[in-house]
Amino acid sequence: MTENRNISERSKRVARNTFMLYFRMLVLMLIGLVTSRVILRALGIENYGIYNAVAGVVVMFTLISNSISQAISRFITFELGKGGEKLRSIFNASIWVQTALSLLLIILVNTVGLWFLFNKMNIPEGRLSDAAIVMEMALLSLVVNLYSVPFNATIIAHEKMDAFAWLSILEAALKLTVALLIWLFPADGLILYAVLMAVVAIIVRFAYALYCRRHFEEARGRLKLPEAGIFRELAGFAGWNFLGSSSFVINTQGMNLLTNVFFGVGANAARGVAAQVESIVKQFATNFITAINPQITKSYASGDRDYCFTLVTKASRYTFLILLLFAVPFAFEADYLLELWLVNVPEHSADFVRLTIIGIMADVVFNPLLTLELAYGKIRNYYIATGIVAYLALPLSWALFRFTDAPVSSPYIVFAVTYLTVGIIRLIFVHRQMNFPVRAFIRELLLRCGAVCVIALSLTYAVNSLLGGSTSEVLRLICVLGTSCIAIAISSWFLVLTEGEKSFIIDRIQSLFKGKAL
């Protein structure tokens, strides 16, 4: 499709929303780096490991809620694309669904979760009672966050990314305040940390609700019993979606529990560090996807297939390049970067971080295809196929630990291979169901972006090897970061970006120099 130099209003909206999300991300990243460092030093490796392990048990039970949350987001966005006549009914039904899920999760955590904690988990002697309190506080945080999902989905569906950004920054600032309070607290701060994190969840929940009730008609009024048809439609969609979302939660949190059982809380602390890096890196990658997802769903709902498919390919391409900005420096300087950040770095953290970024790339670059599949709506066969493959990651990791001398980092490799396979299956399905242009997708993502990856890795490796161990670590880090960024930027300009995208970037730069707003 020939690109027009004139930027459409839809493209401007995506650009504005992307700008707000990256502003949000930069603030969250700075706050998150400080928060993680303060919390690790205040709690200590043992308490930090206990919190991550026990909270992981609670997060395991979100495998049901995640599927419902994704269904709510899809239905609200799709309805906006069609005209929005049933928005109030969909929002109302989503609140009732989350209420039912909350009750179910309370029962599961207080039965199965507590049994697993007291009988299977590797918790240091004398800390089981503290761990049980942490579990209850993590459950409270989870239930409160469930009620935020319909409000969060409504803000994103309406593409009000400025509000989404400021509310997220509020949450991060509150978490930093919690970290500083723990730092100032002279005694063991594990329980206090868990309690204050629950308080943060409650404050943020009311902030989301207040904004939505003031700006969106569907979020106002009294809660009524859900319409049976919409309730069944939501439940049916979420039921099949459960196969995909549950596999991801089981794999990530299940591997956290496996690590605890086989290697103890020290390894959980290292996984906690890797999870913090994963969260930051994913923020970079998913900001553009979050900004563009509503447009993918709305354009498909309105019948504009060409624009929809273009957005999907563009989102995957940009996601790959953004992730590459992290993958290349961490491949060579993970140890020193973590040392600068945390000072006292848990063992295995650097290896975990390198491998988790590879896993993110294998998973996230195919996420726009999932958005397209959800917009299509007929997801039963898709989730059966991807679910079967995705569920293999956890038993394969268990088998490696149980029957071999596999290193503690093995699950990260299993995860990456599994989700790369899932991504290929996604591509096959969207092609068969919607005639998605696979050749163009492969050419843009694998060939062009793959060439950028090879160039960036080769040049950065050459600079890193040339400087060697005799050079100052700070100077070497600066050279590695500079080389990787410049190599990715220049090679992307010549190998990846289209003429229309180059024109857009040039126009934005000229506007900035002229003092115009984005």
Side-chain angles (χ1 to χ4, degrees):
M1 184 170 57
T2 304
E3 292 184 292
N4 195 319
R5 184 179 175 85
N6 295 322
I7 307 301
S8 68
E9 182 58 36
R10 289 186 296 189
S11 297
K12 289 180 180 179
R13 189 183 310 125
V14 170
R16 286 193 297 268
N17 288 337
T18 303
F19 173 80
M20 284 306 305
L21 288 172
Y22 276 103
F23 168 74
R24 163 186 176 269
M25 176 272 303
L26 287 172
V27 176
L28 292 183
M29 181 182 67
L30 292 173
I31 296 176
L33 289 172
V34 175
T35 301
S36 299
R37 177 168 177 163
V38 172
I39 284 296
L40 181 58
R41 296 186 66 182
L43 292 181
I45 290 178
E46 181 179 285
N47 278 346
Y48 189 68
I50 290 173
Y51 184 84
N52 277 283
V54 174
V57 175
V58 176
V59 175
M60 278 286 292
F61 291 101
T62 64
L63 54 89
I64 302 173
S65 65
N66 284 349
S67 59
I68 296 292
S69 301
Q70 200 164 33
I72 290 170
S73 181
R74 183 266 180 190
F75 274 86
I76 291 175
T77 307
F78 195 88
E79 185 61 29
L80 278 172
K82 290 176 60 179
E85 296 180 1
K86 298 181 180 179
L87 274 177
R88 174 59 187 165
S89 297
I90 293 172
F91 185 88
N92 188 65
S94 68
I95 295 293
W96 280 104
V97 168
Q98 298 296 62
T99 300
L101 275 176
S102 296
L103 293 174
L104 176 61
L105 289 172
I106 289 172
I107 294 171
L108 288 174
V109 171
N110 283 287
T111 52
V112 179
L114 286 176
W115 172 85
F116 188 84
L117 171 65
F118 283 101
N119 293 278
K120 298 295 182 181
M121 292 194 69
N122 186 358
I123 302 296
E125 186 177 355
R127 305 307 304 274
L128 271 175
S129 59
D130 291 346
I133 296 173
V134 169
M135 178 173 286
E136 295 299 332
M137 290 299 101
L139 173 62
L140 176 59
S141 298
L142 171 61
V143 169
V144 172
N145 287 331
L146 284 179
Y147 280 99
S148 296
V149 168
F151 300 99
N152 189 307
T154 300
I155 292 173
I156 293 176
H158 282 276
E159 299 184 70
K160 300 295 183 181
M161 300 305 175
D162 53 345
F164 180 64
W166 288 115
L167 288 170
S168 299
I169 291 171
L170 169 65
E171 181 177 5
L174 290 173
K175 289 181 178 179
L176 176 59
T177 303
V178 169
L180 294 174
L181 288 174
I182 299 299
W183 175 258
L184 296 174
F185 198 77
D188 189 329
L190 178 61
I191 295 177
L192 178 61
Y193 178 63
V195 171
L196 291 179
M197 290 297 286
V199 173
V200 168
I202 293 171
I203 295 173
V204 172
R205 156 70 177 86
F206 280 105
Y208 272 108
L210 180 63
Y211 178 86
C212 287
R213 293 186 187 282
R214 292 185 62 181
H215 292 85
F216 308 126
E217 184 67 30
E218 63 268 24
R220 299 171 189 160
R222 293 183 177 180
L223 188 63
K224 300 178 181 179
L225 289 174
E227 296 180 16
I230 293 177
F231 193 86
R232 284 196 302 269
E233 196 173 0
L234 262 175
F237 190 92
W240 290 112
N241 192 17
F242 169 81
L243 286 174
S245 59
S246 63
S247 65
F248 184 85
V249 174
I250 286 175
N251 287 335
T252 53
Q253 298 306 319
M255 289 176 185
N256 199 29
L257 296 178
L258 278 181
T259 301
N260 174 261
V261 171
F262 284 94
F263 297 95
V265 294
N268 281 119
R271 284 189 66 92
V273 171
Q276 291 289 330
V277 175
E278 178 184 10
S279 176
I280 294 170
V281 173
K282 272 191 172 182
Q283 286 292 333
F284 271 90
T286 58
N287 276 329
F288 183 75
I289 298 177
T290 301
I292 210 169
N293 273 349
Q295 287 290 325
I296 293 174
T297 303
K298 290 175 183 177
S299 58
Y300 186 87
S302 64
D304 192 352
R305 299 288 183 88
D306 288 340
Y307 181 66
C308 178
F309 294 162
T310 299
L311 286 177
V312 171
T313 302
K314 181 183 295 186
S316 292
R317 181 158 40 93
Y318 286 169
T319 300
F320 184 95
L321 295 175
I322 292 166
L323 288 173
L324 199 60
L325 289 170
F326 289 90
V328 176
F330 270 107
F332 301 102
E333 295 293 337
D335 295 274
Y336 185 55
L337 284 167
L338 292 178
E339 184 181 337
L340 284 175
W341 173 29
L342 299 172
V343 181
N344 184 20
V345 183
E347 188 180 2
H348 304 299
S349 296
D351 290 337
F352 285 5
V353 166
R354 292 187 185 97
L355 292 172
T356 200
I357 293 177
I358 295 174
I360 293 171
M361 296 185 76
D363 176 33
V364 176
V365 293
F366 292 100
N367 276 356
L369 296 173
L370 174 59
T371 303
L372 179 58
E373 182 69 28
L374 294 177
Y376 178 69
K378 298 177 182 179
I379 59 175
R380 183 190 65 181
N381 292 337
Y382 163 79
Y383 272 125
I384 290 174
T386 56
I388 290 173
V389 174
Y391 271 114
L392 293 175
L394 186 61
L396 286 174
S397 298
W398 173 83
L400 284 173
F401 286 157
R402 180 66 177 81
F403 300 110
T404 72
D405 294 326
V408 66
S409 59
S410 300
Y412 288 102
I413 300 173
V414 174
F415 181 92
V417 173
T418 299
Y419 279 89
L420 179 61
T421 306
V422 169
I424 294 171
I425 295 174
R426 287 177 183 172
L427 192 58
I428 293 171
F429 265 86
V430 295
H431 174 66
R432 289 182 177 178
Q433 293 172 332
M434 292 162 274
N435 199 29
F436 181 79
V438 174
R439 289 184 179 179
F441 185 87
I442 293 175
R443 182 179 64 250
E444 296 294 330
L445 183 64
L446 299 183
L447 298 183
R448 294 181 183 274
C449 291
V452 173
C453 180
V454 171
I455 292 171
L457 283 172
S458 300
L459 292 177
T460 307
Y461 172 77
V463 170
N464 183 263
S465 300
L466 182 63
L467 295 175
S470 59
T471 309
S472 164
E473 289 181 315
V474 175
L475 177 60
R476 190 182 68 239
L477 176 62
I478 293 173
C479 292
V480 165
L481 290 173
T483 302
S484 61
C485 290
I486 293 171
I488 292 170
I490 294 177
S491 56
S492 296
W493 182 269
F494 289 104
L495 297 177
V496 177
L497 298 184
T498 64
E499 291 302 319
E501 290 164 348
K502 292 177 183 178
S503 297
F504 178 83
I505 293 173
I506 293 172
D507 289 343
R508 291 303 93 199
I509 293 174
Q510 290 175 345
S511 297
L512 288 174
F513 278 110
K514 294 177 182 178
K516 295 181 180 179
L518 183 67

